[in-house]
Amino acid sequence: MEARPALSIQRSGGRQISSFGASAALSPSFPARPAALQESSPKFSDSQYISVERELMHRQPAPLSSNNGVVGHIFSSSSGFSTNLHFSTIEQQERHPRQPPFISQSTSSGKSVMLAHPVDSRVLQSTASSQFNKENNDSWCTETLPDFLDFPMNTTILNNELDVSTNGGIPVPSEDLGKPSDWQDWADQLITDNDALATDWNGILADATVADPAPKSQISLHLPGTPGEICTSGGQSSSANAAPAKQRMRWTPELHEAFVEAVNKLGGSERATPKGVLKQMKVDGLTIYHVKSHLQKYRTARFKPETPEESSEKKLASIEDLSSLDLKTGIEITEALRLQMEVQKRLHEQLEIQRNLQLRIEEQGRYLQMMFEKQCKSGVDLIKGGASSTSENALKELADAVQNSCAKDNLLVEAENNETKGETAKTSGETSQLVGEKQKAVEAVVLENPEPSAGEKSESPPTKRAKVDE
Amino acid sequence: MKFGKRLKQQIEQSLPDWRDKYLSYKELKKLLRLITSAPAKMSGSPSEYGKAEAEFMYLLNNEIDKFNSFFMEQEEDFVIRHKELPHRIQKAVDTWGPNGSQPSDLDFKDEMAKIRKEIVNFHGEMFLLMNYSNINYTGLAKIVKKHDKRTGGVLRLPFIQKVLEQPFFTTDLISKLVKECETTIESVFPPPEYSGTGIFQGERAAPGEGIFKNTVAALMTMEEMRRGSST
């Protein structure tokens, strides 16, 4: 039982996770915790533990899954608070340099987030049952991160909140994106359903002050508001964790425009919070996670419009430009750019053509397949019928069908040739090659069916054509 | 040149972030060899065959997921940048243009040059994404065809059907963005000035090198694919 109080704080978080049925296998802050804990541990009895849990959830938008069990027990004790503050600041500082093991999977671009998520949930699930304490501790600290970062990702914000002079919902602009990047990785990895819940917490925190008992009521108000999410998170730990991550949102320009509108209404990309934007957009199927990552990208795009590659080149170019102040250089560069553009345009055209061809080939293949199946059926029927004359007809029909499709192929080839005068040679070369491929497929299909003679017959014309084209 | 080799070359030339996002063609081929070498389904140990087959399918599906994620991620970025571009141009015009708040010819030209470069690179990147999609599709089609050829399976048609519907292959949006980019470029680039003196001086006039190199590689790949590659 000694260990229990010491771990109680972590476990509160851990409990939350475990209600997901998951816990992260991390141990960043655990070792350093005991120091802080020793002071606080004697204070905790079970009831206080719950209150601490509550406080922690107050102060840090911790995963709401704890609500599952703990809704009824809402206390606040100032001592608990101060300890929490103290504790959490320590913890926060501790977290900084640490890199939990499976963070290494992620890149800062967040693109791996998607991939990491399913992994996370699996990892989480696997460790759920075992080693409850240790992992829960860790999961808790990392779990709270995403919630911190629900405010426009910032350590300064976190500090502010903890310093009781809450900025409410007003995000502090992220001064250095570099520092929280690790955090973001962590956060993103463990976001899962916490986001939906966490947003409520954000709202709560926005209105809450330190010793204010109001948050409690707000919490309780909010909790019923999100029973769906909580239930889903609690109930289907694996799927719930995996689902938001796997459902990648396809951002169309229209959707993005709505996003931008919402952001502008909320005072710009710096001030807008994911939750606010989500509410403003009122789009079905859009989760806070989607909005959050998109907001992140949006901000990066606005303030760092250059890619690293471009920026380094630009620096070189601009330095040279400025030093020489040579208009001619500018013109040269422009011309070179223009040339590059032309090349890219040309390539783009070719790519489009190639794609179209591929699609059409597939279509043709399907069509042929269908035709052959039809013919086979009728052929088989006729054969069953036994009349030799009719089977000959069937063969003829088959051959006709093939030849029709071959004729279509030729039309295709010709059409393509007309389209691309400049690229005729290449295109026809490609089409003929692809046509050749298809003919082989035709061959294969034809050979499979019970009339081999028809196959042979149809084989030769296509191959001849293919050769002619080449 | 065989597709696998071509693919490898393309990957090497691609932007660093992209390198591991391409199709693992070699992996799939290895698995395929495993499948064919494993005793046939009926005779011997069906489990080996089944296992290899399952792994093959598993990898295929994983690859598709990988493509989708990456593609949609990039697409999202492009959508954002695409929207931002006109704003930046407008801002530059407003601030440094002739009628702007702080008209400064030098700054204006400077900024416009930067913007031009960016647009061209942006266009290039979008094109590269389309190329990425295309190459991966081709690779998938090839490997599945090989599979069917060697195992006599009928994996190909339904699989390709599925692939055609995948987000990573439906590049219509990107295509549209590219076209819009092209029109924007028209407006941003001044009319061609053919100065009498030699225009090009290699080193300095090599903007967006990485992207340019990549597009050249893409062009070569496409040519190769058209020259009647082996299956």
Side-chain angles (χ1 to χ4, degrees):
Chain A
M1 208 54 191
E2 249 334 292
R4 267 202 77 156
L7 301 174
S8 63
I9 294 177
Q10 286 95 353
R11 195 182 299 137
S12 66
R15 251 255 226 106
Q16 299 157 11
I17 312 301
S18 62
S19 66
F20 283 163
S23 61
L26 305 168
S27 55
S29 45
F30 181 52
R33 275 300 167 62
L37 286 180
Q38 312 286 277
E39 311 160 33
S40 44
S41 58
K43 296 184 193 168
F44 299 131
S45 62
D46 265 329
S47 60
Q48 262 194 322
Y49 148 20
I50 293 169
S51 76
V52 167
E53 194 176 341
R54 235 36 194 130
E55 304 323 337
L56 291 172
M57 287 173 3
H58 268 279
R59 301 310 309 150
Q60 298 132 15
L64 280 181
S65 52
S66 58
N67 298 336
N68 283 335
V70 187
V71 176
H73 309 274
I74 300 177
F75 303 72
S76 61
S77 62
S78 49
S79 64
F81 259 119
S82 53
T83 339
N84 293 342
L85 287 177
H86 173 60
F87 169 79
S88 47
T89 42
I90 290 180
E91 164 202 79
Q92 194 193 339
Q93 288 150 20
E94 288 159 11
R95 265 188 237 148
H96 249 287
R98 254 166 274 235
Q99 275 280 344
F102 66 45
I103 299 292
S104 55
Q105 295 172 20
S106 71
T107 62
S108 56
S109 70
K111 78 176 86 144
S112 62
V113 166
M114 287 310 164
L115 301 174
H117 262 285
V119 174
D120 290 356
S121 53
R122 271 180 252 134
V123 170
L124 294 173
Q125 287 154 41
S126 62
T127 54
S129 45
S130 64
Q131 296 175 350
F132 181 88
N133 291 346
K134 182 163 185 194
E135 276 109 36
N136 288 344
N137 299 336
D138 312 321
S139 61
W140 177 66
C141 12
T142 47
E143 278 294 351
T144 53
L145 278 178
D147 313 314
F148 282 118
L149 296 175
D150 265 335
F151 277 95
M153 328 150 279
N154 220 321
T155 52
T156 54
I157 293 173
L158 306 179
N159 288 329
N160 286 340
E161 287 173 15
L162 295 168
D163 288 341
V164 176
S165 56
T166 47
N167 297 344
I170 300 173
V172 172
S174 56
E175 277 131 42
D176 58 320
L177 291 171
K179 219 166 60 163
S181 62
D182 286 350
W183 297 52
Q184 287 165 30
D185 292 343
W186 297 15
D188 286 346
Q189 285 197 0
L190 296 171
I191 284 172
T192 68
D193 293 310
N194 292 338
D195 295 334
L197 309 176
T199 54
D200 297 327
W201 286 112
N202 289 346
I204 294 167
L205 278 168
D207 312 343
T209 57
V210 180
D212 191 358
K216 289 179 290 185
S217 49
Q218 279 179 332
I219 293 170
S220 45
L221 280 175
H222 272 82
L223 291 174
T226 60
E229 291 138 347
I230 296 176
C231 291
T232 49
S233 66
Q236 322 147 18
S237 48
S238 56
S239 51
N241 279 345
K246 281 195 178 141
Q247 283 161 17
R248 252 202 159 280
M249 174 63 77
R250 203 149 186 208
W251 283 89
T252 63
E254 296 78 23
L255 193 59
H256 179 71
E257 262 190 54
F259 171 84
V260 172
E261 259 183 58
V263 165
N264 289 334
K265 272 195 192 151
L266 293 171
S269 60
E270 287 307 300
R271 293 177 60 122
T273 66
K275 181 195 171 194
V277 172
L278 184 65
K279 268 195 178 160
Q280 189 74 37
M281 284 175 75
K282 298 193 228 344
V283 171
D284 284 336
L286 191 64
T287 70
I288 187 79
Y289 177 73
H290 295 138
V291 174
K292 203 199 298 193
S293 67
H294 197 73
L295 189 61
Q296 200 174 326
K297 287 188 190 219
Y298 184 66
R299 287 195 186 129
T300 319
R302 285 178 81 90
F303 289 102
K304 275 189 185 176
E306 310 154 3
T307 65
E309 180 196 354
E310 289 172 347
S311 60
S312 55
E313 287 167 30
K314 273 182 200 170
K315 279 182 201 154
L316 291 173
S318 57
I319 289 172
E320 288 172 278
D321 277 331
L322 289 174
S323 60
S324 63
L325 292 177
D326 194 1
L327 200 60
K328 200 163 127 192
T329 316
I331 292 176
E332 287 171 4
I333 290 188
T334 311
E335 286 307 309
L337 279 173
R338 200 193 301 278
L339 199 74
Q340 182 182 356
M341 194 61 204
E342 287 302 309
V343 169
Q344 283 171 192
K345 259 197 217 170
R346 203 74 54 76
L347 285 173
H348 179 232
E349 277 169 31
Q350 289 202 2
L351 196 61
E352 294 276 348
I353 292 166
Q354 188 163 348
R355 265 183 60 94
N356 288 338
L357 281 173
Q358 282 171 334
L359 286 169
R360 278 196 238 185
I361 299 275
E362 290 301 325
E363 254 182 67
Q364 282 289 321
R366 258 180 286 153
Y367 176 77
L368 280 173
Q369 182 83 354
M370 207 177 60
M371 291 296 301
F372 276 118
E373 280 170 8
K374 257 195 224 165
Q375 293 301 333
C376 280
K377 274 193 199 147
S378 54
V380 165
D381 292 341
L382 289 169
I383 286 175
K384 279 184 185 162
S388 57
S389 56
T390 41
S391 61
E392 270 173 41
N393 283 344
L395 290 178
K396 279 185 195 161
E397 281 179 39
L398 244 171
D400 287 345
V402 174
Q403 281 177 3
N404 283 341
S405 55
C406 292
K408 280 190 187 139
D409 292 349
N410 272 357
L411 287 176
L412 217 190
V413 173
E414 281 159 27
E416 290 310 315
N417 287 348
N418 290 339
E419 267 175 9
T420 61
K421 288 182 187 160
E423 324 298 331
T424 309
K426 286 189 193 142
T427 318
S428 58
E430 182 189 23
T431 41
S432 64
Q433 174 239 320
L434 290 167
V435 162
E437 273 186 18
K438 205 193 350 158
Q439 299 305 352
K440 288 179 199 157
V442 166
E443 266 175 68
V445 172
V446 169
L447 287 170
E448 278 166 19
N449 75 46
E451 284 91 356
S453 55
E456 286 162 19
K457 213 161 77 171
S458 56
E459 213 182 338
S460 36
T463 33
K464 271 190 200 156
R465 284 202 196 93
K467 282 178 192 163
V468 163
D469 284 347
E470 280 169 33
Chain B
M1 203 185 291
K2 299 193 97 177
F3 177 81
K5 217 171 172 187
R6 249 300 146 192
L7 179 63
K8 211 167 117 186
Q9 272 192 14
Q10 175 76 57
I11 291 178
E12 278 166 21
Q13 302 254 352
S14 62
L15 301 168
D17 302 341
W18 294 40
R19 294 213 181 120
D20 58 346
K21 301 289 187 290
Y22 277 89
L23 179 65
S24 319
Y25 191 69
K26 242 181 171 176
E27 292 284 323
L28 286 164
K29 266 180 95 174
K30 278 190 200 151
L31 281 177
L32 199 54
R33 250 175 263 145
L34 218 64
I35 293 178
T36 48
S37 65
K41 232 176 190 168
M42 294 307 135
S43 68
S45 46
S47 65
E48 244 183 72
Y49 176 87
K51 207 173 96 175
E53 176 85 16
E55 232 184 285
F56 183 78
M57 288 307 300
Y58 180 74
L59 186 58
L60 271 183
N61 286 324
N62 262 19
E63 292 293 294
I64 292 188
D65 287 337
K66 181 173 85 174
F67 299 156
N68 281 337
S69 306
F70 179 69
F71 185 87
M72 290 204 272
E73 177 103 21
Q74 293 292 317
E75 195 184 44
E76 195 179 335
D77 274 332
F78 290 151
V79 168
I80 295 180
R81 277 160 76 182
H82 177 83
K83 278 278 166 338
E84 283 308 299
L85 218 44
H87 289 300
R88 288 192 63 212
I89 296 175
Q90 196 58 47
K91 196 176 114 187
V93 168
D94 289 341
T95 331
W96 290 307
N99 302 326
S101 52
Q102 313 163 16
S104 152
D105 199 42
L106 187 66
D107 282 331
F108 184 59
K109 283 223 156 58
D110 208 33
E111 184 69 16
M112 287 311 280
K114 282 192 197 145
I115 287 181
R116 260 179 238 129
K117 202 192 271 189
E118 225 183 87
I119 295 183
V120 173
N121 282 344
F122 181 52
H123 181 268
E125 276 187 52
M126 284 202 283
F127 159 77
L128 285 173
L129 190 65
M130 289 187 70
N131 187 49
Y132 163 88
S133 160
N134 201 300
I135 285 196
N136 287 329
Y137 168 78
T138 309
L140 280 177
K142 275 177 166 333
I143 199 84
V144 170
K145 192 165 160 199
K146 270 200 230 274
H147 171 274
D148 282 353
K149 217 160 108 178
R150 296 194 195 176
T151 64
V154 280
L155 180 61
R156 193 171 165 274
L157 272 179
F159 184 79
I160 290 292
Q161 291 309 311
K162 192 176 83 163
V163 166
L164 289 178
E165 293 161 15
Q166 294 297 313
F168 86 88
F169 190 69
T170 52
T171 56
D172 306 318
L173 175 61
I174 294 280
S175 187
K176 195 179 80 161
L177 289 184
V178 170
K179 291 204 181 93
E180 283 178 20
C181 200
E182 285 169 12
T183 28
T184 314
I185 291 237
E186 295 300 314
S187 61
V188 170
F189 270 76
E193 305 171 26
Y194 294 106
S195 59
T197 55
I199 294 178
F200 299 110
Q201 287 177 12
E203 308 80 31
R204 279 213 226 150
E209 219 190 28
I211 291 183
F212 190 63
K213 204 170 70 169
N214 205 349
T215 53
V216 168
L219 173 61
M220 301 207 308
T221 310
M222 277 201 286
E223 283 180 22
E224 285 281 336
M225 293 209 292
R226 285 177 188 174
R227 243 174 256 147
S229 53
S230 66
T231 37

